[in-house]
Amino acid sequence: MLDLLPETSLVAFVGMFGGIVLGLAARLGRFCTLGALEDIYYGSNAVRLRMWGIAIGMAILSTYGLSALGYIDLSATLYLSVAWNPWANIFGGLLFGYGMALAGNCGYGALARLGGGDIRAFMIVMVMGLSAYITISGPLAYLRIWTFGAGMPALNTPSIPATLSGVSGLSVTVIGATIGLIFIIISLSSAPMLRSKSSVLWGAVVGLVITSGWVGTQWVASNGFEGLPVVSHSFSAPIGESLLYLMTASGNSVSFATGSVLGVLIGSLLGSLVKGHFRWEACDDPRELGRQIFGAAAMGVGSVLALGCSIGQGLSAFSVLAYSAPVTLICIMLGTAIGLRQLIQGFRNIG
């Protein structure tokens, strides 16, 4: 395989395959971060949140299972190779969640809506990607490093199973697999969830997609010569990276990130066509558009500080049970609750 395609192209295809499935999950399975939180906050419907739980559990179970078989080096994955910075996760998660509520979507959700013809989502994607790169290597990078420091290599593996293994003596694999099974069992312990076979199926598929990213990039990193990173899906900096590639393709190369972003657009387009939901939509309210732009900018900054978005930390980092994952995800949920409450209170005041 490496004789036929460049390593960068191979990982891009891995990302695109997974991205297509994630796009289909958004359109056919209604897999959505903000939608799940809105359902539980205002509709007391936990089905989509439980679908997230299944995705997390399946991602953990399959990641640690394949790690035990030698297909994934957990210490080489992005979230376990960098020292944990809890303050950055807390602040970044809160900012991302707040921005997600104002924008009406996370980066992944905006890509999925863009694939269905929503032009408003195009603006969210553009602003989020730009603000992420402004924070990574633009003017805000100085403030980011001054406030939270530069990312340092991890001296000890910052994962929950590694810590529990040192205390209990149990293997990392057993602990990781057990945590994954607990997530799945709890998520399935609901009659409405058991009746929603589609939600169970798509939740499991999304979890496996996250693991496919680790396995695919690990294989290329282990068998290739370019030293490419071992990564999985996230939609914050990767959107910015994709925009950068569009502007510098002649002197740049594709990556897992660009493949993943393109895949979600393709998958969501296919899913919207299958459902008959594709239609062009625009925003005719300047105030709403301004709010969404501000929210997108906040998401871009927050995701960089937290080292991942609702997918990057909420699923990819969770699949390796990094310390950062539960902290960031809880903060994203809190930030979203604050943002949604502010929007509702604002509407009430106007009325």
Side-chain angles (χ1 to χ4, degrees), residues 2-331:
L2 290 173
D3 295 332
L4 300 175
L5 289 173
E7 294 173 33
T8 52
S9 297
L10 277 176
V11 295
F13 276 117
V14 172
M16 185 171 68
F17 170 77
I20 289 173
V21 178
L22 289 175
L24 290 171
R27 281 290 170 176
L28 302 182
R30 298 182 66 241
F31 189 84
C32 173
T33 310
L34 184 61
L37 294 177
E38 287 177 330
D39 284 355
I40 193 68
Y41 289 154
Y42 303 116
S44 299
N45 185 340
V47 169
R48 286 206 281 182
L49 191 63
R50 289 178 181 273
M51 180 164 48
W52 258 88
I54 290 175
I56 291 174
M58 185 61 72
I60 295 170
L61 191 61
S62 55
T63 295
Y64 273 84
L66 290 175
S67 172
L69 296 174
Y71 291 103
I72 305 173
D73 178 6
L74 294 176
S75 63
T77 58
L78 172 64
Y79 302 102
L80 299 186
S81 60
V82 178
W84 183 38
N85 188 334
W87 293 114
N89 289 140
I90 292 170
F91 184 80
L94 288 170
L95 184 60
F96 181 90
Y98 180 74
M100 180 169 67
L102 296 187
N105 263 307
C106 64
Y108 161 64
L111 286 171
R113 291 188 66 86
L114 178 58
D118 191 335
I119 301 175
R120 295 169 298 182
F122 176 74
M123 185 64 69
I124 295 174
V125 168
M126 292 285 290
V127 173
M128 183 179 177
L130 288 172
S131 65
Y133 254 68
I134 289 171
T135 311
I136 292 173
S137 55
L140 288 182
Y142 303 105
L143 180 60
R144 171 180 60 83
I145 295 172
W146 179 77
T147 306
F148 297 104
M152 302 296 292
L155 299 179
N156 299 304
T157 304
S159 79
I160 297 169
T163 301
L164 294 179
S165 177
V167 174
S168 66
L170 295 173
S171 73
V172 167
T173 301
V174 169
I175 295 172
T178 301
I179 295 174
L181 283 172
I182 290 173
F183 266 97
I184 293 173
I185 292 170
I186 292 175
S187 299
L188 291 174
S189 62
S190 161
M193 187 64 190
L194 291 175
R195 288 195 296 268
S196 181
K197 294 181 174 58
S198 173
S199 297
V200 174
L201 173 63
W202 282 111
V205 167
V206 168
L208 293 174
V209 165
I210 297 301
T211 303
S212 75
W214 297 129
V215 173
T217 56
Q218 178 73 74
W219 186 88
V220 175
S222 300
N223 294 280
F225 301 96
E226 296 187 21
L228 297 180
V230 180
V231 296
S232 193
H233 297 276
S234 186
F235 298 99
S236 50
I239 291 177
E241 185 176 336
S242 300
L243 295 175
L244 184 63
Y245 174 76
L246 289 175
M247 295 182 288
T248 61
S250 60
N252 206 339
S253 61
V254 292
S255 64
F256 179 90
T258 56
S260 174
V261 169
L262 176 61
V264 172
L265 289 173
I266 294 173
S268 58
L269 171 61
L270 294 174
S272 64
L273 291 174
V274 169
K275 282 283 193 177
H277 291 167
F278 182 90
R279 64 179 183 275
W280 295 111
E281 296 181 58
C283 181
D284 55 2
D285 185 345
R287 293 175 301 175
E288 180 184 0
L289 183 60
R291 169 174 57 79
Q292 291 176 335
I293 289 174
F294 178 80
M299 281 196 294
V301 176
S303 61
V304 171
L305 295 179
L307 201 64
C309 59
S310 53
I311 300 295
Q313 285 287 355
L315 286 176
S316 293
F318 234 120
S319 72
V320 297
L321 287 171
Y323 290 156
S324 61
V327 174
T328 306
L329 187 56
I330 290 171
C331 289

